[in-house]
């Protein structure tokens, strides 16, 4: 197990280098950001040259990348145009997005799995059909539609929640955006759980467990659910990274100043340190989440542990 | 039944929490006298000489007062800290300050506060984006050379005489120069700025009606009324909270939900029903912004003899009235000159100066384009940036109008460029394949600001590289004229050359738009389309 973890951690290094280079290259390909800093006015060449030298933009791309990586290993992620260091931006943005992601994951897990179990155990009946149709509807609505809709209904029409989240992003204000962010994944979790449960419900070991007289709820929670959750856990695990990155839309709609907000600003202003820095961290989150999933497998299924 | 129970508890918890938000909402409560307003994250640190966009500019307007200020209603430059600015030759000026002005940290506003600030702004190594605003002051070439390092630290044209007086020597005659001094780049700075720059940036100290209470970069700037403000335009509210929104739709939704008091940018999608949403609380008034289609005059095909007929013809082929009505819901006004209505007749705005060329006339347009030898290559593109400002809609409509007028479906097509930065790069690199969109927001309400930076040979924002000797001569004469009326007349003569040559097609004047909650009143926009924050009253 320990060696497995170390191997997985070592694998992250090339992924890390490759992804940062790709992102760096793509942001660079968008063009020189200095011209846009001056708005509709042509930049005065001397000032522009000074800014370029300061931002290391007057060097060839490979040199810029090496310089950037060198800085990163010293813990310096560069500076955003408004004078704040990118690490400072990260320190303010990641906790907010993390809270939002946790809210979304909790909603998605609790609601998704419960609905999935109920409909999976009642396959083909009315409740199952209803859940299937509902999840289909939810899957087909893009986040920005459900976001604006729920924001308008809950925030403006009914006044249940504030339509935008305060800068401190307290947990209770994140419930609505968290729900919006969770919706699509929630539908997937429901459907995955349902299929998995429905399949395993007819498996031999379940029949055996029932035959030897175990109470039904114990069969479901200890035997059926444990086996059925493996694909669901995989999905949720990979979803952590996707949710953090995908928060761009949700954060914009609810004006949450998290990772999505900073990334959006960074892209709009072509601030490569911001974009590359944030995406790099997201890549790491994604990799770690995957690692976590693989480790969870072993917990859920002892056969994997000893293999 | 352990797990199932836990799951149920989870559902209940979420449900309870959802209901709890009902109590937790309404961030509007508990901030008496303070107005909350939408804001965009400023691009640069909030330094006077480094702020060249509206979002940072509106903060400087609250935190600072300079020698002059533009009247929020008329746009006229009026003395604030300046007692008088005298000159006998339009080139050497003596500035005398009023007494009694201090910064909010108690430091006196003296001649040095201005001279130090201007020297800082002009010095190349400080990389201030507004450095060019000091270019008319003598010695600018030494502190801000086109290449290499500065040969001097201070502008030789600035001399402090005593606490209340300093002199300015310009490197050319510029009679309306004092009227440019209301621009934020010319604001005074306290010594704290130079002593501890980083701390100052964290919490700027100025001499305006507000002081900074707290500044969380990227999310909220809280400003409070400065009780000891010596000026005659103190804040009539307790303070202003500027909240950063990335999406103006969210700001608008917040306004509707009573979570925000003031929005100074109504999203395009809401324009249709904004009047019924905000009965009597919607503002739509002219601002000093004009939009044009600029021709790449560096391109031989657009600048050959006779091409001016084509350029004029294309201008005539655009149905400005219909586009401003259908696409912009009347938040734009068809342009008939190259300035803006906010200048007023005395300031140089002259409706109809463009003449026939700005009047929609399909038949005449077709004829003119034909006489001029047709559109180069038979087909032209209108280049715009697609990332912000929803330019696609009006570009497509404009092309449509041109195609219909010329009776050729392929005459004009939109050419989107992914980002604003790339768009600006292509413009600076002179790589525009055809006419491109341009917008000009005035720095100060002077006709000079609408003409010289844009059309004077090699001027800083002359993106089309238009060059016309009679035009340059008239601008020089206008700048040298000591009589304002005379100067304006000269500038208008220069404008008539634009009407003949049509290096840029005037499209429409942009309005400022805003909306506010019933919690506040006395809301208006100044000629720069920025709310006059200090006048706002909380009901």
């Amino acid at each position: 197990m320990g060696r497995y973890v170390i191997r997985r951690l070592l694998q992250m290094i090339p992924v890390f280098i490759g992804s940062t280079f790709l992102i760096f290259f793509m942001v660079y390909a968008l063009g020189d950001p200095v011209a846009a800093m001056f708005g509709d006015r042509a930049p005065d060449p001397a000032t522009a040259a000074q800014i370029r030298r300061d931002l290391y933009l007057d060097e060839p791309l490979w040199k810029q990348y090496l310089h950037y990586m060198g800085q990163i290993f010293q813990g310096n992620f560069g500076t955003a145009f408004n004078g704040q260091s990118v690490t400072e931006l990260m320190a303010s943005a990641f906790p907010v997005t993390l809270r939002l992601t946790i809210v979304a994951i909790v909603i998605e897990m609790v609601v998704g799995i419960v609905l999935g179990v109920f409909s999976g155990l009642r396959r083909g009946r009315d409740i199952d059909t209803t859940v299937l149709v509902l999840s289909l509807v939810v899957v087909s609505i893009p986040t920005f539609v459900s976001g604006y809709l729920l924001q308008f209904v809950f925030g403006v029409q009914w006044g249940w929640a504030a339509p935008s989240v305060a800068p401190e992003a307290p947990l209770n204000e994140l419930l609505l955006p968290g729900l919006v962010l969770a919706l699509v994944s929630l539908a997937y979790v429901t459907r995955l759980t349902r299929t998995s449960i429905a399949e395993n419900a007819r498996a031999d070991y379940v029949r055996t467990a029932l035959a030897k007289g175990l109470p039904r709820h114990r069969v479901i929670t200890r035997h059926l659910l444990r086996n059925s959750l493996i694909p669901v856990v995989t999905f949720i695990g990979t979803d952590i990274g996707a949710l953090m990155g995908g928060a761009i839309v949700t954060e914009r709609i609810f004006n949450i100043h998290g990772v999505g907000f900073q990334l959006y600003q960074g892209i709009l202003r072509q601030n490569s340190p911001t974009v590359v820095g944030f995406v790099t961290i997201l890549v790491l989150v994604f990799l770690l989440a995957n690692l976590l999933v693989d480790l969870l497998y072993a917990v859920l299924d002892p056969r994997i542990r000893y293999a | 039944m352990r797990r199932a129970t836990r799951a149920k508890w989870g559902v209940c918890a979420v449900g309870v929490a959802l209901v709890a938000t009902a109590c937790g909402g309404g961030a509007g409560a508990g901030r008496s006298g303070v107005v909350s307003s939408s804001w965009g994250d400023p691009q640069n640190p909030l330094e006077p000489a480094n702020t060249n966009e509206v979002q940072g500019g509106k903060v400087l307007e609250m935190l600072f007062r300079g020698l002059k200020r533009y009247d929020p209603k008329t746009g006229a430059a009026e003395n604030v800290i300046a007692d008088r600015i005298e000159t006998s030759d339009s080139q050497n000026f003596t500035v005398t300050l009023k007494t009694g002005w201090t910064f909010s940290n108690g430091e006196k506003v003296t001649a040095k506060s201005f001279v130090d600030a201007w020297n800082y702004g002009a010095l190349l190594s400080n990389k201030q984006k507004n450095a060019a605003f000091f270019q008319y002051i003598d010695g600018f070439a030494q502190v801000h050379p086109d290449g290499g390092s500065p040969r001097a630290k201070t502008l030789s044209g600035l001399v402090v005489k005593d606490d209340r007086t300093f002199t300015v020597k310009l490197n050319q005659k510029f009679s309306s120069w004092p009227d440019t001094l209301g621009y934020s780049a010319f604001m005074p700075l306290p010594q704290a700025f130079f002593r501890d720059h980083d701390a100052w940036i964290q919490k700027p100290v100025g001499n305006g009606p507000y002081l900074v209470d707290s500044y969380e970069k990227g999310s909220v700037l809280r400003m409070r009324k400065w009780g000891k403000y010596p000026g005659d335009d103190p804040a009539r509210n307790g303070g202003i909270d500027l909240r950063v929104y990335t999406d103006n739709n969210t700001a608008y939704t917040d306004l509707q939900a009573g979570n925000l008091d003031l929005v100074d940018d109504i999203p395009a999608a809401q324009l249709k029903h904004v009047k019924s949403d905000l009965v009597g609380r919607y503002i739509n008034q002219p601002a000093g912004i004009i939009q044009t289609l600029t021709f790449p005059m560096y391109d031989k095909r657009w600048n050959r003899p006779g091409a001016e007929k084509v350029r004029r013809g294309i201008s005539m082929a655009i149905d400005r009235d219909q586009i401003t009505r259908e696409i912009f819901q009347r938040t734009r006004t068809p342009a008939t000159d190259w300035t803006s209505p906010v200048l007023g007749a005395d300031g140089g705005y002259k409706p109809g100066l463009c003449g026939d060329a700005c009047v929609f006339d399909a038949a005449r347009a077709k004829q003119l384009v034909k006489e001029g030898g047709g559109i180069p290559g038979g087909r032209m593109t209108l280049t715009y940036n697609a990332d912000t400002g929803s330019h696609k809609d009006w570009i497509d409509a404009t092309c449509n109008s041109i195609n219909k007028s010329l009776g050729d479906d392929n005459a004009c097509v939109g050419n989107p460029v992914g980002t604003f930065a790339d768009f600006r790069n292509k413009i600076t690199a002179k790589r525009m394949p055809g006419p491109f969109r341009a917008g000009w927001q005035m720095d100060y309400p002077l006709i000079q600001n609408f003409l010289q930076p844009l059309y004077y040979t090699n001027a800083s924002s002359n993106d089309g590289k238009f060059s016309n000797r009679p035009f340059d001569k008239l601008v020089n004469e206008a700048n040298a004229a000591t009589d304002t009326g005379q100067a304006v007349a000269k500038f208008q003569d220069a404008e008539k050359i634009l009407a003949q040559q049509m290096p840029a097609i005037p499209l429409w004047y942009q309005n400022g738009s805003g909306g506010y909650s019933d919690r506040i009143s006395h809301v208006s926009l100044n000629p720069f389309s920025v709310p006059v924050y200090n006048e706002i009253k909380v009901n």
Side-chain angles (χ1 to χ4, degrees), chain B residues 313-330:
Chain B
I314 293 169
S315 173
M316 281 184 187
I318 302 169
D319 191 346
R320 294 169 176 77
D321 194 51
Q322 195 190 10
I323 296 172
T324 50
R325 195 176 56 235
E326 302 289 329
I327 309 256
F328 293 120
Q329 304 289 330
R330 296 230 178 272

Side-chain angles (χ1 to χ4, degrees), chain A residues 29-48 50-54 81-84 88-89 92 106-107 110-111 114 118 148 151-152 154-156 159-168 171-176 179 217-218 221-222 225-226 229 251-257 261-262 264-265 267-270 300, chain B residues 1-4 7-8 10-11 14 17-27 40-45 52 124-125 127-133 144-148 150 183 201-202 216-220 222 243-250 253-254 256-257 259 387-388 419-425 428 437-441 443 453 460-461 463:
Chain A
L30 283 173
D32 182 3
V34 177
M37 290 168 136
F38 289 80
D40 275 321
R41 193 185 308 276
D44 119 66
T47 312
Q50 285 269 335
I51 295 175
R52 269 193 203 103
R53 196 172 320 144
D54 254 35
F81 293 154
N82 67 1
Q84 272 182 298
E88 215 175 295
L89 294 181
S92 72
V106 168
I107 293 178
V110 173
V111 181
V114 168
F118 273 109
Y148 280 123
Q151 182 189 44
F152 188 71
F154 284 98
V156 181
W160 284 15
S164 75
V165 174
E168 306 80 37
L171 215 53
N172 63 335
E173 287 189 20
L174 287 176
L175 283 171
L176 185 60
L179 179 69
H217 61 81
R218 191 165 166 80
T221 51
R222 295 292 300 177
L225 205 55
R226 185 161 175 167
L229 279 187
E251 289 191 355
R252 186 156 178 220
I253 294 172
F254 292 95
N255 201 41
I256 302 169
H257 297 225
F261 168 81
Q262 296 295 354
Y264 179 77
Q265 294 282 59
I267 292 168
L268 211 63
R269 289 171 186 175
Q270 292 196 9
L300 283 172
Chain B
M1 207 180 139
R2 270 173 21 222
R3 292 220 178 157
K8 267 182 201 159
V11 175
V14 169
L18 269 177
V19 175
T21 42
C23 330
D41 200 12
Q43 201 161 9
N44 308 303
N52 61 351
L124 175 60
S125 37
K127 293 165 296 187
Q128 302 288 291
K129 299 197 178 69
N130 282 335
F133 279 87
H144 198 108
D146 289 339
Y183 187 69
I201 292 291
Q202 294 291 330
E216 292 163 48
K217 277 193 184 163
S219 51
V220 60
R222 295 190 177 88
R243 292 201 231 147
V244 174
Y245 285 87
T246 27
D247 188 344
N248 56 5
N249 279 299
T250 309
T253 313
D254 256 359
Q256 281 181 299
N259 205 15
D387 56 347
T388 50
T419 63
F420 182 64
D422 198 19
F423 179 65
R424 288 303 312 175
N425 276 331
T428 343
R437 77 148 198 104
W440 182 252
Q441 169 146 30
D443 304 308
S460 61
S461 294
D463 289 335

Side-chain angles (χ1 to χ4, degrees), chain B residues 303-319:
Chain B
N303 200 9
R304 60 174 203 276
E308 73 276 0
K309 281 191 176 168
V310 182
R311 299 194 294 263
R312 283 167 57 92
I314 293 169
S315 173
M316 281 184 187
I318 302 169
D319 191 346

Side-chain angles (χ1 to χ4, degrees), chain B residues 222-496:
Chain B
R222 295 190 177 88
M223 279 173 289
R224 293 295 170 265
K225 176 180 177 158
W226 177 30
K228 292 180 189 159
Y229 174 68
D232 54 9
D233 55 345
R236 297 166 75 185
N237 47 55
I240 308 280
D241 280 357
L242 292 179
R243 292 201 231 147
V244 174
Y245 285 87
T246 27
D247 188 344
N248 56 5
N249 279 299
T250 309
Y252 189 76
T253 313
D254 256 359
L255 175 69
Q256 281 181 299
N259 205 15
L260 185 73
D261 294 324
L262 174 63
V263 166
D264 60 358
D265 177 26
I266 304 284
Q270 311 284 1
L271 285 176
K272 273 192 179 146
H273 46 83
V274 62
K275 268 189 199 147
S276 52
D277 278 357
L278 308 168
V279 184
R281 288 177 281 119
Y282 165 60
I283 315 170
N284 176 25
Q285 67 181 60
I289 308 171
I290 185 169
Q291 258 126 23
T292 62
L293 280 181
T294 302
F295 288 96
M297 301 300 277
Y298 46 81
D299 185 341
K300 284 244 162 55
R301 301 176 308 151
W302 283 105
N303 200 9
R304 60 174 203 276
E308 73 276 0
K309 281 191 176 168
V310 182
R311 299 194 294 263
R312 283 167 57 92
I314 293 169
S315 173
M316 281 184 187
I318 302 169
D319 191 346
R320 294 169 176 77
D321 194 51
Q322 195 190 10
I323 296 172
T324 50
R325 195 176 56 235
E326 302 289 329
I327 309 256
F328 293 120
Q329 304 289 330
R330 296 230 178 272
T331 55
R332 308 279 193 280
T333 313
T336 56
D337 81 335
W338 281 264
T339 66
S340 163
V342 300
L343 294 181
D346 294 339
Y349 169 62
K350 192 171 183 186
L353 191 142
C354 177
D356 296 347
C358 292
V359 179
F360 177 60
D361 185 343
R364 182 102 178 84
K366 198 171 173 181
Q367 190 196 346
L368 261 179
V369 171
K370 203 173 157 199
E371 279 174 25
I375 290 170
R379 185 190 154 120
M380 67 172 183
T381 56
L382 299 188
T383 309
Y384 62 99
N385 58 307
D387 56 347
T388 50
S390 44
H391 296 302
K392 185 184 184 333
D393 295 347
W394 69 261
I395 286 276
D396 286 350
T398 305
C399 262
N400 237 330
S401 180
I402 293 173
N403 289 346
K404 242 163 79 188
S405 304
L406 301 185
D408 175 1
D409 280 348
N410 288 319
C412 175
V413 65
N415 174 31
V417 172
T419 63
F420 182 64
D422 198 19
F423 179 65
R424 288 303 312 175
N425 276 331
K426 287 199 161 97
I427 289 175
T428 343
K430 300 204 270 185
R431 281 193 286 126
M432 279 293 151
F436 52 94
R437 77 148 198 104
W440 182 252
Q441 169 146 30
M442 65 180 184
D443 304 308
Y444 23 79
L446 292 178
I447 184 172
Q448 179 266 350
N449 192 240
F450 280 93
L451 299 178
Q452 191 168 1
L454 292 163
Y455 307 110
Y456 192 83
T457 303
N458 285 328
S460 61
S461 294
N462 188 345
D463 289 335
K465 301 292 166 206
F466 175 68
S467 176
N468 183 291
R469 206 169 285 160
F471 179 88
D472 293 355
K473 190 166 164 271
L474 282 167
V475 168
N476 287 337
E477 285 172 19
N479 278 331
T482 39
D483 177 63
T484 325
Q486 222 175 11
V488 164
K490 288 277 184 198
F491 274 121
Q492 285 174 340
D493 287 344
E495 235 184 307
K496 281 173 194 149

Side-chain angles (χ1 to χ4, degrees), chain B residues 109-133:
Chain B
V109 180
T110 63
K112 194 169 150 53
S113 317
F114 284 96
V115 171
D116 285 354
W118 295 4
N119 278 328
Y120 181 88
L123 188 62
L124 175 60
S125 37
N126 292 331
K127 293 165 296 187
Q128 302 288 291
K129 299 197 178 69
N130 282 335
F133 279 87

